[in-house]
Amino acid sequence: MVYAVCKRLYRVFYPLPPTSPSATPLRIGILGAANIAPIALILPAKNHPDAVVHAVAARDQTRADAFAKKWGIPKAYGGSGAYQKLLDDPEIEAVYNPLPNGLHYEWTMKALMAGKHVLLEKPSADTAEETRKMFELAEKKGLVLLEAFHYRFHPAAQRAKEIVASGEIGDITSIEVSLGVPRGIFGDDDIRLKYELGGGSFMDMGCYTMSTARYLAGADPVKVTSATADTASKFPKIDIGTTAVLAFPSKSGDSESSESQRTYPVTLKTHFRIPPRLGFIPVMPQVYAKVVGTRGELKFLNFAGPYIYHYIDAKKTDEKGNVVSSRTEKRYGEGEKYGWSTYRFQLEAFVDKVRGRTPQHWFDGADSVTNLTWIERVYEATDLGVRPASTVEIPGVI
């Protein structure tokens, strides 16, 4: 197992160049020299025959230059107005936006106004209304806008959904999705802890758990049953961790009347700082999705980064709940796609969409709007309130 993990990681961090690169690849610019950019875009693009990272912009010229040199990026824009300079570059056809959450709306709208396709880091924005406006503008402009839920493009996630949707484990009776990391990963100065930038664990991690629950269920919530936030006095309005229970519609429910609709519980858990056991025993990250049905259950370990390692456990049970059969599946891609990261699968779909080809998987703006709508409702239920909307006015946008 260790050898297989190392082999896959080597292919991710040292990707093979494409055998037949395009003479006119899609030229992508990066807004901000973000830490996520190499794994999310730069490395996947090195393996893609029809995509290249052509420019990066940072608010500091020295940082932009160093980033560009390290990753072999031809152009580096820095200093005041750097982001806009990149957007004004006629050679740039698409933009990757990994800026802090609070800047997603402003710079995605400006990129779309500049005629650029956008790969947008999640969560899409600070509010569902901002998300709606971005996708409406993209549609009006005839541009591709994708919220970067990369896990959905990986064969492991698609296989987990396929098992649930097949009815193999029966009708869903509950779902639990967890994404949390041990204390010590994020320092006090991390942007994830800044309210004005759209921080909070349910923004950063909860967007994954909400998306995953909706994806596996093939449905959207009908209400937030309960939500509690773990807070700290030094981070006003920031949830260090959140546990939310939402009601999802049962297949056997009455679709004609929400009042009489039968539901099942979906528990979503996020945490930036899971405390050690007994005060000193380190804990592992908690990254899993569990779906319980009337005839079995499924557990998907490491749904957020399945390209590193994952497993899908599927169990069948009898009418008394006894396990009658079980198996474990893994999906890492086939042929030349074996070991592709979730981001590489995502880039494949994004470029296909831009080029007018049919992606292997896709989801639209309505999905992104719905996801953030329910994140907002969870925040409202915790009494922390939704994250602050952008006050920036975009010229030409009503």
Side-chain angles (χ1 to χ4, degrees), residues 150-162 215 300 306-307 310 312 329-334 337-342 345 360:
H150 53 98
Y151 81 91
R152 285 199 184 184
F153 298 90
H154 196 272
Q158 293 172 12
R159 177 55 180 157
K161 179 177 175 61
E162 182 180 52
Y215 179 62
F300 181 13
Y307 64 96
H310 72 270
I312 303 168
E329 295 188 18
K330 298 175 184 178
R331 294 287 191 276
Y332 290 107
E334 299 179 352
K337 297 181 180 181
Y338 174 81
W340 275 14
S341 71
T342 49
F345 280 104
Q360 186 271 337

Side-chain angles (χ1 to χ4, degrees), residues 73-95:
I73 301 172
K75 291 185 176 182
Y77 294 103
S80 177
Y83 296 164
Q84 190 60 51
K85 290 175 185 176
L86 184 146
L87 297 183
D88 292 338
D89 186 336
E91 293 185 332
I92 299 300
E93 302 166 89
V95 166

Side-chain angles (χ1 to χ4, degrees), residues 15-35:
L16 294 173
T19 55
S20 301
S22 170
T24 56
L26 181 71
R27 290 164 297 189
I28 306 172
I30 302 175
L31 293 175
N35 292 332

Side-chain angles (χ1 to χ4, degrees), residues 355-370:
R355 293 304 198 200
R357 300 186 289 261
T358 302
Q360 186 271 337
H361 177 74
W362 197 256
F363 56 94
D364 60 18
D367 189 286
S368 295
V369 173
T370 298

